[in-house]
Amino acid sequence: MIYRHMYVAYISKEDITLKDCDKLITVTLGYWDNLAVLYFETSDRTLMPESFTEGSILPLPDGRLWIEASDIYHSFSPEDESRWERKIPNKKCIIQVNRLKKDKISSYIYYHVERQNDNLVNVDKYLAVFIHEDIIFLYTETPAEKVTWDDIEGKNHHCSRYDWAELMDEHFCPWQDGTKGWKALKCNT
């Protein structure tokens, strides 16, 4: 089984380093505002960020350094490592950030659960959306590898929403410049 995680940590400066860890399949670190954002995949359910990161992380009042963001959508759930193996070498990992209107958090999650149950094909296999408070993070890779019919083998497939972009736009808070949409984090892989 492959476990996918997104963690956030409050930082005093952008100096988090990733130590070698043979339990990691993929790891990406990005920064946004005063947060370090860490995405990783592992086959070890118990692996925690503290075991392979170090830097200027500000401890929370309870002593924790990293807070796990909740996975609210993923295009594909790998059952074993062979189905999860990347076919394209040297891919670029991307983390993007967006903010949700407080009164739209529950409907945003609802629509993503509905979309996940659609078992869509021809979407990025590694795409996932995580939430921390009202902040959402999107993980993807480029070039994208698409979910195929073989990946969903026999599961029902349909698309319940065709107005996805418009539907999602009503959930997002405008940025300070008045625009809406996803912003890319600067990432280290």
Side-chain angles (χ1 to χ4, degrees):
M1 183 84 176
I2 307 297
Y3 301 98
R4 304 174 75 187
H5 300 281
M6 179 79 71
Y7 280 84
V8 297
Y10 292 94
I11 57 171
S12 58
K13 60 183 175 179
E14 296 179 4
D15 70 345
I16 309 301
T17 56
L18 302 172
K19 300 184 280 186
D20 286 337
C21 179
D22 59 357
K23 296 178 180 182
L24 291 170
I25 297 168
T26 296
V27 62
T28 301
L29 174 69
Y31 298 101
W32 178 69
D33 203 15
N34 62 341
L35 291 177
V37 182
L38 178 69
Y39 172 84
F40 67 95
E41 300 167 3
T42 180
S43 55
D44 180 353
R45 172 178 249 161
T46 64
L47 186 64
M48 299 300 288
E50 292 83 356
S51 65
F52 61 90
T53 61
E54 57 188 15
S56 301
I57 301 172
L58 303 172
L60 297 167
D62 65 4
R64 290 180 301 151
L65 298 177
W66 291 95
I67 306 161
E68 187 162 17
S70 298
D71 175 350
I72 60 169
Y73 174 82
H74 47 271
S75 299
F76 181 69
S77 295
E79 305 217 353
D80 60 59
E81 291 186 36
S82 66
R83 309 252 348 235
W84 194 245
E85 188 175 314
R86 279 130 174 108
K87 310 280 189 272
I88 301 171
N90 304 317
K91 294 174 67 146
K92 180 181 177 186
C93 301
I94 299 166
I95 300 174
Q96 296 180 2
V97 64
N98 212 332
R99 293 196 78 132
L100 292 173
K101 296 175 182 173
K102 298 264 190 215
D103 63 338
K104 294 288 189 175
I105 292 172
S106 59
S107 64
Y108 185 84
I109 293 170
Y110 170 82
Y111 287 127
H112 277 79
V113 169
E114 180 179 63
R115 189 154 182 101
Q116 188 165 304
N117 291 335
D118 286 348
N119 294 312
L120 297 177
V121 293
N122 206 30
V123 294
D124 182 0
K125 186 176 196 172
Y126 302 101
L127 185 140
V129 179
F130 299 84
I131 188 168
H132 168 67
E133 297 177 346
D134 63 340
I135 306 167
I136 47 177
F137 298 100
L138 182 142
Y139 174 83
T140 190
E141 298 176 359
T142 186
E145 292 181 44
K146 304 295 185 174
V147 174
T148 66
W149 289 107
D150 288 338
D151 290 329
I152 65 168
E153 39 177 289
K155 295 178 184 171
N156 289 331
H157 161 75
H158 64 285
C159 184
S160 56
R161 302 297 301 218
Y162 291 97
D163 58 343
W164 190 253
E166 297 83 16
L167 180 66
M168 291 300 101
D169 188 59
E170 71 186 40
H171 290 78
F172 301 142
C173 288
W175 295 104
Q176 287 183 332
D177 64 4
T179 63
K180 288 184 184 178
W182 294 95
K183 294 190 180 257
L185 277 60
K186 52 184 176 183
C187 293
N188 317 339
T189 301

